[in-house]
Amino acid sequence: MLVGTRTRLSGFLAGLGAGAAAFIIVQRNIWSSTATLVDTIPGSTPPAKPLEPVKPLLGANARNTVIQQWNKGIDCVFGGLAKELARRGL
């Protein structure tokens, strides 16, 4: 390996390590300050609201149509490959 390439790689790895260490230190500081801040806030946390049921994006008919079109597209794209693999016994 050339000296210049080795130097660039070493610099990159040193920068990556320094960046990762700085990120971890900052994250720990943020979480510890958040924990101390939560302890100083008076009162209790409000109860969690129940989640509303998620409505489907598509109705049953539309969903079936989309599924059929998807399968037709897959057959169109990979149908020849499947036939060739079946012909070869794979």
Side-chain angles (χ1 to χ4, degrees):
M1 191 183 295
L2 296 174
V3 175
T5 306
R6 205 175 321 165
T7 304
R8 278 191 230 134
L9 182 61
S10 298
F12 172 75
L13 292 176
L16 184 66
F23 176 79
I24 290 171
I25 290 169
V26 168
Q27 288 295 314
R28 285 184 181 169
N29 288 342
I30 289 172
W31 282 108
S32 66
S33 65
T34 303
T36 57
L37 180 63
V38 166
D39 292 337
T40 61
I41 296 175
S44 63
T45 58
K49 295 180 182 177
L51 297 175
E52 295 179 14
V54 178
K55 296 178 184 175
L57 186 62
L58 301 172
N61 290 338
R63 192 173 327 131
N64 289 335
T65 303
V66 169
I67 290 170
Q68 288 174 357
Q69 293 299 321
W70 174 265
N71 288 338
K72 284 180 185 178
I74 294 297
D75 288 342
C76 180
V77 172
F78 295 111
L81 176 65
K83 288 177 185 176
E84 181 62 26
L85 291 176
R87 187 181 67 79
R88 292 183 183 190
L90 299 174

